[in-house]
Amino acid sequence: MMNRLRQIADAVRAAGEMSVADLAELTAASEMTVRRDLEALAGQGVLERYRGGARSLLLRGEETPFALRVEEGVERKRRLAAEVAGLISDGEAVVVDGGTTCREVARALHGRRLTVMPLSLHTANALTGGARPTLLLPGGEARPGELGMVGPLAEASLAALRFDTAVVGCCGLTAADGLTAYDLPEASVKRAAMRASRRVIAVTEGAKLTRTALAHVADADALDLVVTDDTAPAAERAALEAAGTTVRIVPDA
């Protein structure tokens, strides 16, 4: 179902609006099923229903909602997360970003002897349920849907501490444009996390090494390591290495 919801959301976003009949043909689902899917997407703020169809509420530069991304490429995200977790030693103080891939990193760190500050409520939830790790929760305002913590309180929490490692996600990453995010407050919190950390690891699916989002977070050389998969374009991997960033490829299983 989640793949069909994403297919519908992407199609309506690309076209601006589409009819129920056209979406049923596109997805090979019944019109009744498509109507239920449109209701679900309307509830997430992705689109607006009208009689016989729907129009997109997502602008080109906006991120697809968390609920639609969370089940995409889960096994790949878990392999990336396991690789990142293996780079972190017991006893470290770690700040873990929001987003779906970083949530998998948080799950991979569950039970470890660490001190962790999660930067979203989704990430924090993945770390709860045991005595370890020790959690430090930032203040701030939770962004709707993403539940990432942003604003002056979140940034002040980060400025008061010093971490061994920051694990950051990204919306886009290229050698030319650096690490980018869709949201300006989110970009500011990422920068604060990076400033507070001795080592910065970016973890991202390879497709994002072809994208640039609105808000600049940092130049590529501010990243000590990029952990990605083998779908990352070879030319972009080489460009990042030339910019001074180490790129580690996690192959598909």
Side-chain angles (χ1 to χ4, degrees):
M1 176 182 176
M2 192 60 66
N3 288 338
R4 191 178 64 246
L5 288 175
R6 181 60 187 264
Q7 185 182 13
I8 290 172
D10 288 345
V12 175
R13 187 178 194 175
E17 59 182 271
M18 288 186 72
S19 69
V20 169
D22 287 342
L23 290 168
E25 182 178 356
L26 174 70
T27 60
S30 70
E31 292 191 10
M32 183 178 295
T33 297
V34 168
R35 289 190 185 94
R36 286 198 297 265
D37 291 344
L38 291 177
E39 289 295 336
L41 291 168
Q44 295 174 20
V46 173
L47 49 78
E48 178 184 34
R49 289 292 318 277
Y50 61 80
R51 186 175 179 84
R55 62 179 60 89
S56 180
L57 294 177
L58 295 177
L59 301 178
R60 182 175 179 180
E62 290 182 325
E63 189 169 23
T64 303
F66 186 95
L68 291 184
R69 304 193 324 268
V70 69
E71 298 299 331
E72 291 184 341
V74 173
E75 291 306 317
R76 176 173 289 168
K77 291 173 185 177
R78 287 174 179 166
R79 287 193 294 273
L80 294 174
E83 185 73 19
V84 171
L87 298 169
I88 295 172
S89 301
D90 284 352
E92 282 196 39
V94 185
V95 55
V96 181
D97 204 358
T100 59
T101 303
C102 284
R103 188 179 75 158
E104 295 300 330
V105 173
R107 286 176 169 167
L109 296 177
H110 188 273
R112 295 276 303 275
R113 188 170 60 82
L114 301 165
T115 298
V116 182
M117 177 177 280
L119 295 182
S120 87
L121 299 183
H122 290 303
T123 307
N125 187 57
L127 289 161
T128 58
R132 293 176 177 173
T134 300
L135 292 186
L136 302 176
L137 298 178
E141 177 185 356
R143 292 173 60 212
E146 294 294 315
L147 300 184
M149 307 308 294
V150 296
L153 291 177
E155 293 178 38
S157 297
L158 290 161
L161 299 168
R162 292 297 178 265
F163 298 93
D164 297 294
T165 301
V167 179
V168 297
C170 66
C171 302
L173 173 60
T174 67
D177 294 317
L179 181 70
T180 53
Y182 286 113
D183 184 81
L184 289 168
E186 178 191 7
S188 186
V189 169
K190 287 179 189 290
R191 283 194 294 272
M194 293 170 67
R195 286 194 300 268
S197 303
R198 297 183 180 90
R199 176 178 64 159
V200 179
I201 299 173
V203 56
T204 183
E205 299 159 275
K208 292 186 179 179
L209 269 65
T210 63
R211 302 176 190 170
T212 299
L214 171 68
H216 180 260
V217 177
D219 292 338
D221 61 5
L223 307 174
D224 296 291
L225 178 64
V226 175
V227 177
T228 188
D229 58 67
D230 52 13
T231 65
E236 192 56 47
R237 286 151 49 182
L240 287 169
E241 294 271 10
T245 301
T246 300
V247 179
R248 181 172 297 201
I249 300 299
V250 179
D252 282 339

